[in-house]
Amino acid sequence: PRVVGRRAWRCAARRLLASSATAGSLRAASSARLALMPYQLEPALALLGGLGARVLIADAVGLGKTVQALLAVAELRAAGAVRRVLVVCPAGLRDQWAAECAGRVGLEARRLDQAGLRQSRSVRPPDVNPWALDDIVVTSVDYMKRPEVLPLVREAGWDAVIVDEAHGVAGPSERHEAVDAVCREAAYVVLLTATPHNGNESSFRSMCDLGAHEDTLLVFRRTRADAGMPDRRRVHVLRVASSVAERAMHRALSVLTQAIRREPGWADGHRWLLVALLH
């Protein structure tokens, strides 16, 4: 036995996993309660094939990013590569994620927040970390980042972390620092977002670097056309005549906009955000 760095260990683990897994060895997919499309298998196959340990699924809305993340984690669990999984999502999506885990791939997930921890305290010894009791845990990023909560989350240890709406933790913030700290200690990281790039390159980079250990991020970015799904949207043009008051308002706004353009520093992003909102 010899002591190695985290990066070397991750590479060795991926090589071992890849040597024993083939496309025909998917275990969880056959029993999942899903109407699977072929493209939804790609992230799971990439992880099982040892191509990387961090995945960004940035498909268009409606292509099943949640399904792909759950399937990838379920396959890693079935292969014995991971056991403990943390799902970090906006607070409003916690119940949905817990339901999807159980309903889609048969993984029972515990939702941990203030209410969940109060319930947990009633059935556990006071010196036991509640975050270490369940294999699958769903929590919100805003709860996890609290200074009294984050140390317990990190101490619990996670094999895989799923970050939903990952663009919400891009850029310098307490959210980003908390999520990155947890992801860096996990063997596998799955990032989900339908809007990966907001025009700010540094924010995009910070999102892509979540949990990075000088490794490559595997990116899956598919449109409905790429997935072989027709775009069923129907567009109708409705022409509306402005009222006298509305035309007067737009003329006044035009005067204001021209006045702003004549001011020093008119190209400042905050000013133009204000002008865009008014328009």
Side-chain angles (χ1 to χ4, degrees), residues 216-271:
T216 301
L217 177 68
L218 307 178
V219 180
F220 295 88
R221 174 72 165 162
R222 281 79 56 102
T223 64
R224 293 182 67 87
D226 295 332
M229 300 175 66
D231 192 341
R232 297 187 178 89
R233 291 182 300 174
R234 308 172 87 180
V235 179
H236 301 274
V237 177
L238 179 63
R239 302 190 181 279
V240 179
S242 299
S243 68
V244 173
E246 287 171 337
R247 290 196 293 273
M249 179 193 67
H250 282 291
R251 285 195 298 271
L253 183 55
S254 178
V255 171
L256 174 63
T257 301
Q258 292 304 317
I260 291 176
R261 288 180 67 103
R262 290 192 293 268
E263 290 288 331
W266 63 269
D268 178 82
H270 296 293
R271 295 190 187 189

Side-chain angles (χ1 to χ4, degrees), residues 67-149:
V67 165
Q68 295 178 69
L70 289 176
L71 184 63
V73 166
E75 289 294 349
L76 289 171
R77 280 175 56 90
V82 306
R83 181 174 67 87
R84 307 199 67 244
V85 181
L86 177 67
V87 178
V88 183
C89 62
L93 299 178
R94 289 171 299 186
D95 289 337
Q96 178 182 330
W97 267 100
E100 291 283 304
C101 285
R104 298 291 191 181
V105 292
L107 299 177
E108 292 299 325
R110 179 180 291 277
R111 183 185 124 169
L112 281 188
D113 50 19
Q114 284 185 324
L117 287 173
R118 279 197 301 269
Q119 181 183 10
S120 176
R121 288 192 191 101
S122 64
V123 296
R124 65 173 173 84
D127 59 337
V128 173
N129 185 347
W131 296 86
L133 295 176
D134 300 279
D135 285 347
I136 316 291
V137 174
V138 178
T139 191
S140 73
V141 61
D142 287 318
Y143 183 70
M144 186 189 75
K145 74 176 185 181
R146 295 184 180 184
E148 74 276 15
V149 175

Side-chain angles (χ1 to χ4, degrees), residues 14-45:
R14 289 201 297 271
R15 284 196 299 269
L16 180 62
L17 186 61
S19 68
S20 62
T22 63
S25 68
L26 291 177
R27 300 175 176 91
S30 60
S31 59
R33 292 181 282 276
L34 301 166
L36 283 173
M37 301 289 287
Y39 71 91
Q40 293 177 331
L41 298 173
E42 292 174 357
L45 290 172

